[in-house]
Amino acid sequence: MATTKIDRAQVADTALRLLNELGLDGLTLRAIAKELDVKAPALYWHFKNKQDLVDEMATVMYRRMTADGVPGADSDSWQEGVRAFNRALRAMLLSYRDGAKVYGGARFTGTDHAESMEVYLGVMLDAGFAFRDAVRAAMTTYHYTMGFVEEEQGTGPRPGERGPGIDVAERAELLAAYPLAAAAGMEMFEGFDERFEEGLGVVVAGIEAVYSSRG
């Protein structure tokens, strides 16, 4: 009987394809093995456990995001570079179901991510930031984007879809005794693109105000 041969790249690619269908919680090594037409133990030649696979999935996600270069590397200012990179990060995360859950906390399996970090920090240092402040600025914007997308995907986990979890009108009716909290729903659960851009602008302005003069 012929044996199907697989490699790490095939497994990770298949896992990312199944992610949109099954979500991170439903993505099992057994399901991936079935899709690849192999027995589940065959996957353990390449990944010792699910977290090991998730780390590789996150690495592949990053590689795809930077396939044409580091987003924002050619921007005219550090501010626009930061915005461009975080826009690209959000778009990449949203293109996968549970993208933020997969990407957040993963340990990259290569050194590819160091390229964007090197570029980012170099731009910030050239702009006059102290090294410590440049690193903290990078992490602040990254955490903003990751947190925003995780909440965003909580309302509609599948790419391009809105989930049934948040009905703004129903929420307002439920919270009628708390008019300010009720009215806040329109700002909290609508207009994600606009809110992301506005929030990112606030973060960038804060970085400029707090750090740029200290370099």
Side-chain angles (χ1 to χ4, degrees), residues 202-214:
V202 170
V203 173
V204 170
I207 290 171
E208 185 170 12
V210 174
Y211 291 145
S212 64
S213 63
R214 296 185 352 191

Side-chain angles (χ1 to χ4, degrees), residues 5-158:
K5 293 185 177 181
I6 58 174
D7 57 28
R8 283 177 64 91
Q10 285 177 287
V11 177
D13 183 66
T14 300
L16 285 169
R17 283 194 291 105
L18 288 177
L19 183 64
N20 283 347
E21 176 185 341
L22 303 174
L24 182 58
D25 291 340
L27 184 67
T28 64
L29 294 179
R30 184 180 297 276
I32 297 167
K34 181 179 180 181
E35 184 73 8
L36 289 167
D37 194 26
V38 298
K39 300 295 185 182
L43 301 186
Y44 290 100
W45 285 101
H46 305 287
F47 301 100
K48 61 185 179 182
N49 52 43
K50 183 176 178 178
Q51 185 57 54
D52 196 26
L53 172 59
V54 169
D55 290 344
E56 183 67 18
M57 291 165 64
T59 303
V60 173
M61 290 164 66
Y62 172 82
R63 288 172 180 160
R64 291 176 179 176
M65 182 181 74
T66 58
D68 296 325
V70 178
D74 298 326
S75 298
D76 294 333
S77 67
W78 70 263
Q79 293 95 332
E80 187 51 43
V82 168
R83 292 188 186 96
F85 184 85
N86 283 275
R87 287 169 187 151
L89 176 61
R90 175 175 175 250
M92 179 272 285
L93 296 172
L94 289 175
S95 69
Y96 300 94
R97 181 177 178 180
D98 293 334
K101 290 183 180 180
V102 172
Y103 202 79
R107 297 186 176 185
F108 292 119
T109 59
T111 60
D112 310 69
H113 62 288
E115 179 183 358
S116 62
M117 183 176 292
E118 198 77 9
V119 170
Y120 178 95
L121 293 177
V123 168
M124 298 296 278
L125 293 177
D126 288 344
F129 285 78
F131 179 76
R132 168 197 177 277
D133 295 346
V135 174
R136 294 198 175 191
M139 295 309 298
T140 298
T141 54
Y142 173 77
H143 290 151
Y144 166 74
T145 300
M146 291 296 298
F148 188 97
V149 174
E150 187 165 358
E151 289 295 321
E152 184 175 5
Q153 290 187 315
T155 67
R158 293 179 185 272

